[in-house]
Amino acid sequence: MNQSFEQSLSIEQIIVAFVALSVISFFIRKWIRKRRLFREGQLPHDPNKIPTIEERVRGNRSWASGEIQSKGLNMVIILWLAAAVWFLTFGVSFVNSLSNQSAPLGQKIALGILSLGGLIFVYFAIRFTARHLRYGKSWCLLDGKAGILGKQISGKIRTEKEIETSSDFQILLQCIETYSSGSGKNRTTHTSVKFQATCSVPSAGISSKAGIPFSMLLPPFPPETGYQLARGSINWQLKIDAPVNGVDYSAMFIVPVFKLE
């Protein structure tokens, strides 16, 4: 009766449990990867058929709808959460160190400096919040729902509230690869720009609520969205900026770009 649970298991039972957990883990990871690739428009290879754009975007609700919403609200939430976590980690430790008489002075100073570092998150969180409250949501409507390598990528960017600017709208399109190297404490994240293009759209006579048109030529060589042979993830980002009195207008979209050959 005093025998532990581990001791009550036979070596055969432990091996069976280990194998079962390994198999389950393998299929779960395979399913997660399959779902991620499906959302990125990467379909199983079929030598007899080239998938259409409609088939490639159907796994992503925003892409399939034809209205890709900007990441502004997501950034607001992420930045405020980052600020809260930072202050709960370093701020609380700093306050506790002040009441701890045995805590070294150097430790208190270090924790105080780290706590002030959280103000950076607060600064950007306030800016992104003010921008979102002033301009509301933005949408990118791509012609054909996706860009195709070697052809023009065009569409329009529509805003919830009118953008009043006397300058041109600046649009930047980038193909970005994000990958990691090393492991443990030495693990670092790298970002590599595989391609970028810009265009200016005169604001005169344009209603941002109706749509800001854009068009850029895509060369045939950059990797497509979700390219499986990359070192990490491949995303195409479309960003628009415009100077406005007060908080400048800015919005960023993750857009699908594929190679249909």
Side-chain angles (χ1 to χ4, degrees):
M1 296 295 294
N2 294 329
Q3 193 177 27
S4 67
F5 176 73
E6 292 83 358
Q7 292 174 330
S8 65
L9 292 175
S10 66
I11 186 65
E12 291 82 4
Q13 291 173 318
I14 294 176
I15 292 174
V16 169
F18 174 78
V19 172
L21 289 174
S22 298
V23 172
I24 293 173
S25 176
F26 169 79
F27 282 105
I28 290 177
R29 291 198 303 269
K30 185 176 180 180
W31 179 81
I32 292 175
R33 182 175 184 274
K34 184 178 179 181
R35 289 293 303 171
R36 177 180 63 80
L37 291 175
F38 184 57
R39 288 195 300 270
E40 293 177 343
Q42 294 294 327
L43 304 179
H45 177 65
D46 185 349
N48 300 317
K49 180 185 177 183
I50 298 176
T52 64
I53 289 295
E54 290 288 345
E55 291 173 332
R56 300 196 71 169
V57 301
R58 67 182 179 183
N60 188 303
R61 184 178 300 176
S62 179
W63 296 350
S65 70
E67 296 187 350
I68 305 171
Q69 189 170 319
S70 67
K71 298 296 182 180
L73 182 57
N74 291 350
M75 287 301 300
V76 169
I77 296 172
I78 290 172
L79 287 169
W80 280 117
L81 285 176
V85 170
W86 189 278
F87 284 118
L88 287 174
T89 302
F90 297 106
V92 172
S93 298
F94 173 64
V95 172
N96 291 336
S97 70
L98 294 177
S99 59
N100 185 2
Q101 300 297 328
S102 61
L105 179 60
Q107 178 184 350
K108 295 179 180 180
I109 295 174
L111 288 173
I113 294 174
L114 287 172
S115 299
L116 291 175
L119 295 176
I120 297 175
F121 290 108
V122 173
Y123 169 77
F124 284 104
I126 292 174
R127 282 188 62 85
F128 274 82
T129 301
R131 180 178 293 156
H132 180 72
L133 292 176
R134 181 173 181 179
Y135 303 115
K137 300 176 183 178
S138 295
W139 299 269
C140 177
L141 291 76
L142 291 180
D143 295 337
K145 295 188 178 181
I148 300 176
L149 292 174
K151 298 184 178 181
Q152 291 283 139
I153 179 171
S154 59
K156 60 182 178 180
I157 296 170
R158 187 165 55 84
T159 62
E160 184 176 1
K161 300 177 182 178
E162 196 66 53
I163 308 299
E164 297 180 359
T165 176
S166 57
S167 301
D168 295 347
F169 290 98
Q170 301 297 327
I171 299 177
L172 170 66
L173 177 66
Q174 290 182 311
C175 173
I176 298 178
E177 178 185 24
T178 305
Y179 63 96
S180 299
S181 63
S183 59
K185 294 182 179 180
N186 297 322
R187 187 179 181 86
T188 55
T189 301
H190 308 272
T191 299
S192 175
V193 178
K194 298 299 182 181
F195 168 80
Q196 72 175 29
T198 60
C199 71
S200 297
V201 180
S203 60
I206 287 181
S207 167
S208 63
K209 292 181 69 174
I212 305 163
F214 66 89
S215 180
M216 286 175 278
L217 178 63
L218 295 176
F221 58 82
E224 64 176 0
T225 297
Y227 182 57
Q228 297 184 52
L229 299 182
R231 291 170 293 183
S233 62
I234 296 290
N235 281 312
W236 285 76
Q237 298 180 2
L238 185 72
K239 186 179 180 184
I240 181 171
D241 295 283
V244 182
N245 291 332
V247 181
D248 291 342
Y249 170 69
S250 181
M252 192 270 286
F253 311 87
I254 302 297
V255 298
V257 174
F258 299 121
K259 184 175 183 179
L260 296 185
E261 291 183 4

